[in-house]
Every structure is written in structure tokens, then in C-alpha cells.
Amino acid sequence: MNEEAPILELIRRVETLEMNTRTGMGILAIGTIVVLRELADLRTEVREDVAAVGDELGGLRWHMNELFAALHREMLCWLSTTRQPGNPARQEPTHN
């Protein structure tokens, strides 16, 4: 009986270690699956955010193009009125 007790204790400890290892591997596998799902969700969010930024940039380009076109028309109109003869705003070149 004295010889069986230490052997039975060792067997119990080995079984406990094996069970803990299996449990640990299961937890690790579950943790890995959770991390991969979160990573996939994060990638989806980033793709959507990048697409939204692209849409916003497209809108900004269109808006800025409209503003620059209006400014260009204003400048052309102003230049055409200042170059007309008899316009007091027209500056005549001075020759020395």
C-alpha cells in the first residue's frame, strides 16, 4: 500500500496536467478564433472608413472645382472690365 500511494498520486497529477493542457489548448483555440473574428471586423470597419473618406474627398474635389470655376469667371469678368477703354479703373502704362 505504501508503494501504491505515490504511484497513484503521480498518475493523478499527470491526469490533472493532461486535463489542464487540453483545457488550455481549448481556451487558446477559442481565444484565437475570437481574435481572428475581431480582426476581420476591424478590417471591415477600416475598409468602410477608407471608402467613406474617398467619397468625402470626391465631394470636396467637386466642391472646390465649383468654387475655383466661379472664382475664375469672376476674375475674367473683372479683367475684361478693367481693360475696357475709358474705364477709370484701367491703369495706363507709363513710359518715361
Side-chain angles (χ1 to χ4, degrees), residues 5-77:
I7 293 172
L8 291 174
E9 178 63 24
L10 285 174
I11 291 172
R12 188 190 59 77
R13 289 174 64 190
V14 167
E15 287 173 349
T16 303
L17 285 172
E18 287 174 347
M19 186 176 62
N20 287 342
T21 302
R22 283 191 297 267
T23 304
M25 294 303 284
I27 291 172
L28 179 63
I30 291 170
T32 303
I33 291 169
V34 169
V35 168
L36 290 175
R37 283 184 186 165
E38 288 179 3
L39 184 60
D41 291 344
L42 183 62
R43 284 180 180 166
T44 302
E45 287 178 25
V46 169
R47 283 187 190 122
E48 290 171 355
D49 289 347
V50 168
V53 167
D55 292 345
E56 291 292 326
L57 284 174
L60 178 64
R61 284 187 193 121
W62 181 84
H63 185 67
M64 294 304 291
N65 187 40
E66 291 294 315
L67 289 175
F68 285 136
L71 181 62
H72 186 251
R73 285 190 299 271
E74 270 186 47
M75 289 177 67
L76 288 176
C77 182

